[in-house]
């Protein structure tokens, strides 16, 4: 009566199918440590006999009964048969089954413990979100200081495709300032606005830069009023403007905050200052600001000079020649942030997938090892049952009980693994949905700000 093994093969096929990864999932190569063989332990004392647990169909309790005297790696056919010879000839199927379990039960407790203690929830932490996130408002406890330095020297009266340089710059600066998050301290400092480009006005022009707008809440009307007063003036004290920006940031408690300086200029320093040294000092200070420069209609020599300033300030340099390019230069800041959110979303989506697959595979490994151990035990039970039939001439048949044990334990292994795997996939989906929702939300905010 060996058809119990036939049932085992059916359940084995089901188990293999249940541990296939979901379509589209990356299955990482795992190097799992081999589970050590169970150590010899005495039979557990239970108030309920194994045959009664089988009758109840209590798979969890059944799996906690063990190890048997000759279970696991202590199996010895000769010694087992000597024990079988001691079974009374009038023993009932239940008594024979209890004796077989006491002799041959494998120790499933390590696997039951793994199931019971398995954390299906994916605990992977997401990577930090993109810096300088343009949210509707800054997160609580976060500070951001932005200083826009606008060149108002005489050269800004020149024309480029689209209009007068200063007019185009004022329009672009206003739109750019509107896109920073509520709570960010944004100020507009102008330089070169005093005097004329005549030698007699050089001292006056080179010694002045002035904050014409400052607020943590964007006020378009006040910003426009400040810009309306500007007219192309005199010389270009870029170094002084950067030094003054450093004092602005320091007065706002710039240490520990995100500090950014944007320079909009059409030319190089003309007041004898050293803007490279000024930018380097600002970037190296405890304020750790970055200096970004947008060169507006600048010749080759001017571009090289301004790029040296942005490099020293740890920032970026962009050159523009007309109205469209000027607007695109400011928009590039938002395009960069949009792309950073895409990278953040993709990176963390993949990170959660990898952890979910690892847990899924871990459950497959537990289930397969557990199932192999169960099959080993069932085969030994059949061998013992056949010995009693052929050598002892027993009439009572415990074959149905062995089949029931095989199916009950097999179903427990399959169902528990499937339930835990479903939880893993559910939590994986929830985390990935949350990541995509956050990514899409922040990208929508960037686009809204960009369209203002």
């Amino acid at each position: 009566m060996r058809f119990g093994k036939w049932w085992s093969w059916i359940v084995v096929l089901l188990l293999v199918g249940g541990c296939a990864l979901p379509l589209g999932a990356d299955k990482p190569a795992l190097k799992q440590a081999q589970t050590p063989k169970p150590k010899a332990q005495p039979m557990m004392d239970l108030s309920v006999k194994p045959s009664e647990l089988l009758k109840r169909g209590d798979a969890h309790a059944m799996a906690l009964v063990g190890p048997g005297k000759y279970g696991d790696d202590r199996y010895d056919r000769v010694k087992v048969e000597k024990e079988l010879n001691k079974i009374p000839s009038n023993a009932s199927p239940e008594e024979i089954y209890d004796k077989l379990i006491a002799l041959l039960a494998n120790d499933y407790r390590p696997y039951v413990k793994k199931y019971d203690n398995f954390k299906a929830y994916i605990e992977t932490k997401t990577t930090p979100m993109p810096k300088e996130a343009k949210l509707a408002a800054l997160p609580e406890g976060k500070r951001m200081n932005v200083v826009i330095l606008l060149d108002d020297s005489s050269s800004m009266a020149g024309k480029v495709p689209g209009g007068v340089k200063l007019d185009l710059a004022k329009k672009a600066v206003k739109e750019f300032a509107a896109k920073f998050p509520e709570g960010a301290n944004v100020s507009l400092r102008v330089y070169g606005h005093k005097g004329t480009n005549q030698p007699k006005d050089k001292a006056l022009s080179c010694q002045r830069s002035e904050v014409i707008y400052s607020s943590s809440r964007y006020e378009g009307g006040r910003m426009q009023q400040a810009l309306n007063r500007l007219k192309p003036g005199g010389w270009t004290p870029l170094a002084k403007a950067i030094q003054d920006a450093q004092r602005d940031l320091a007065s706002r408690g710039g240490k520990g905050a995100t500090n950014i300086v944007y320079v909009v200029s059409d030319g190089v320093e003309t007041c004898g200052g050293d803007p490279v040294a000024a930018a380097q000092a600002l970037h190296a200070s405890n304020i750790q600001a970055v200096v970004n420069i947008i060169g507006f209609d600048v010749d080759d020599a001017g571009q090289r000079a301004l790029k040296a300033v942005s490099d020293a300030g740890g920032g970026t340099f962009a050159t523009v020649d007309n109205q469209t390019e000027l607007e695109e230069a400011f928009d590039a800041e938002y395009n960069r942030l949009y792309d950073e959110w895409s990278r953040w979303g993709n990176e963390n989506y993949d990170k959660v997938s990898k952890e979910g697959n690892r847990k899924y595979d871990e459950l497959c490994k537990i289930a397969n090892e557990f199932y192999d151990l169960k099959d080993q035990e069932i085969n030994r039970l059949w061998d013992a049952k056949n010995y009693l039939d052929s050598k002892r001439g027993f009439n009572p048949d415990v074959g149905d009980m062995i089949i029931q044990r095989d199916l009950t334990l097999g179903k427990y292994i399959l169902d528990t693994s499937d339930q835990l795997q479903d939880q893993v996939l559910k939590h994986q989906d929830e985390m990935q949905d949350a990541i995509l929702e956050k990514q899409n939300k922040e990208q929508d905010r960037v686009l809204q700000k960009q369209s203002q």
Side-chain angles (χ1 to χ4, degrees):
M1 192 169 177
R2 304 285 291 180
F3 58 90
K5 290 189 178 181
W6 181 73
W7 281 98
S8 296
W9 278 110
I10 292 178
V11 186
V12 167
L13 292 174
L14 291 173
L15 180 64
V16 172
C19 277
L21 282 171
L23 289 176
D26 268 328
K27 184 176 180 179
L30 300 176
K31 294 184 179 180
Q32 299 277 4
Q34 293 296 320
T35 303
K37 291 183 178 180
K39 295 181 180 179
Q41 298 181 44
M43 187 75 177
M44 295 180 66
D45 293 328
L46 294 175
S47 58
V48 182
K49 294 181 179 181
S51 56
E52 180 59 29
L53 294 176
L54 180 66
K55 183 178 180 181
R56 296 178 185 177
D58 191 342
H60 188 271
M62 288 169 58
L64 292 175
V65 177
K69 185 176 180 179
Y70 298 108
D72 303 305
D73 58 348
R74 298 176 303 283
Y75 181 72
D76 186 315
R77 180 187 293 271
V78 174
K79 292 181 179 180
V80 169
E81 290 177 352
K82 287 182 179 179
E83 296 282 353
L84 296 177
N85 290 332
K86 299 176 183 179
I87 297 177
S89 57
N90 61 346
S92 67
E94 289 76 16
E95 290 172 334
I96 295 173
Y97 174 82
D98 291 340
K99 180 62 176 179
L100 294 182
I101 299 305
L103 290 173
L104 300 172
N106 280 336
D107 190 0
Y108 304 130
R109 289 174 298 174
Y111 296 99
V112 174
K113 184 178 180 180
K114 288 180 180 180
Y115 276 153
D116 290 346
N117 297 333
F118 192 85
K119 294 181 179 179
Y121 188 79
I122 296 176
E123 299 174 310
T124 297
K125 293 183 179 179
T126 57
T127 56
M129 295 181 187
K131 293 182 179 180
E132 305 167 23
K134 310 300 189 297
L135 307 179
L138 287 172
E140 184 177 353
K142 298 293 183 182
R143 293 180 296 121
M144 182 178 185
N145 301 313
V146 180
V147 179
I148 302 172
L149 300 179
L150 176 59
D151 183 352
D152 192 24
S153 63
S154 59
S155 60
M156 291 294 284
K159 292 185 177 181
V160 294
V164 176
K165 285 189 282 185
L166 180 60
D167 292 339
L168 300 179
K170 289 192 292 186
K171 179 177 180 292
V173 164
K174 180 187 175 184
E175 293 175 351
F176 184 56
K179 295 172 181 178
F180 285 100
E182 182 180 342
N185 292 307
V186 180
S187 64
L188 173 62
R189 178 178 282 276
V190 295
Y191 61 97
H193 61 302
K194 293 295 183 181
T196 67
N197 62 348
Q198 298 301 311
K200 65 181 180 63
D201 288 333
K202 183 173 181 179
L204 171 65
S205 186
C206 289
Q207 293 173 6
R208 296 291 300 275
S209 78
E210 181 182 353
V211 174
I212 63 172
Y213 174 88
S214 180
S215 178
S216 61
R217 182 174 62 85
Y218 180 70
E219 301 174 66
R222 192 159 68 85
M223 167 69 85
Q224 188 63 59
Q225 289 176 3
L227 290 168
N228 287 341
R229 295 196 298 268
L230 296 180
K231 294 181 179 181
W235 300 68
T236 310
L238 177 55
K240 176 173 174 52
I242 295 174
Q243 291 167 351
D244 290 344
Q246 182 170 348
R247 285 193 289 272
D248 293 340
L249 295 171
S251 68
R252 296 175 183 170
K255 185 177 181 181
T258 297
N259 299 295
I260 314 170
V261 175
Y262 289 95
V263 179
V264 182
S265 176
D266 74 335
V268 297
E269 171 78 32
T270 60
C271 289
D274 188 344
V276 172
Q280 188 173 38
L282 174 57
H283 186 55
S285 70
N286 58 9
I287 297 174
Q288 296 181 324
V290 295
V291 180
N292 302 301
I293 296 183
I294 297 176
F296 195 14
D297 189 34
V298 186
D299 60 22
D300 291 343
Q303 289 183 32
R304 289 193 295 270
L306 290 176
K307 186 176 187 307
V309 176
S310 64
D311 288 345
T316 59
F317 171 76
T319 179
V320 299
D321 295 318
N322 55 53
Q323 177 184 11
T324 301
E325 289 181 1
L326 180 61
E327 293 172 352
E328 289 175 352
F330 280 118
D331 283 343
E333 181 70 10
Y334 295 94
N335 294 336
R336 175 195 63 78
L337 183 62
Y338 190 96
D339 291 342
E340 283 193 13
W341 276 113
S342 292
R343 286 193 293 272
W344 179 86
N346 292 336
E347 180 180 342
N348 287 291
Y349 191 98
D350 292 343
K351 192 175 182 181
V352 170
S353 290
K354 184 176 181 180
E355 178 63 11
N357 290 341
R358 185 192 69 78
K359 284 182 174 286
Y360 198 100
D361 283 353
E362 182 180 352
L363 286 167
C364 278
K365 182 176 184 294
I366 294 170
N368 286 324
E369 290 180 358
F370 195 164
Y371 209 92
D372 287 345
L373 197 64
K374 184 270 299 180
D375 274 354
Q376 180 190 69
E377 177 198 274
I378 295 299
N379 289 335
R380 290 171 179 175
L381 289 173
W382 279 112
D383 286 342
K385 186 265 180 191
N386 289 334
Y387 177 83
L388 291 174
D389 286 351
S390 61
K391 302 297 182 182
R392 299 285 311 278
F394 276 25
N395 290 323
D397 191 350
V398 297
D400 288 343
M401 300 178 75
I402 295 175
I403 292 173
Q404 185 179 350
R405 178 178 179 83
D406 188 4
L407 296 178
T408 302
L409 288 175
K411 186 175 185 302
Y412 165 73
I413 296 169
L414 286 172
D415 288 350
T416 306
S417 181
D418 285 348
Q419 289 168 10
L420 290 171
Q421 286 175 330
D422 286 345
Q423 291 177 34
V424 169
L425 295 178
K426 179 176 181 291
H427 292 146
Q428 177 178 325
D429 288 344
E430 288 173 349
M431 287 194 71
Q432 289 177 326
D433 287 346
I435 288 168
L436 292 178
E437 181 180 358
K438 179 66 176 175
Q439 174 189 331
N440 293 334
K441 184 177 181 181
E442 298 306 332
Q443 288 180 323
D444 286 346
R445 285 178 172 176
V446 171
L447 293 175
Q448 289 170 8
K449 287 286 185 181
Q450 192 171 8
S451 64
Q452 289 178 352

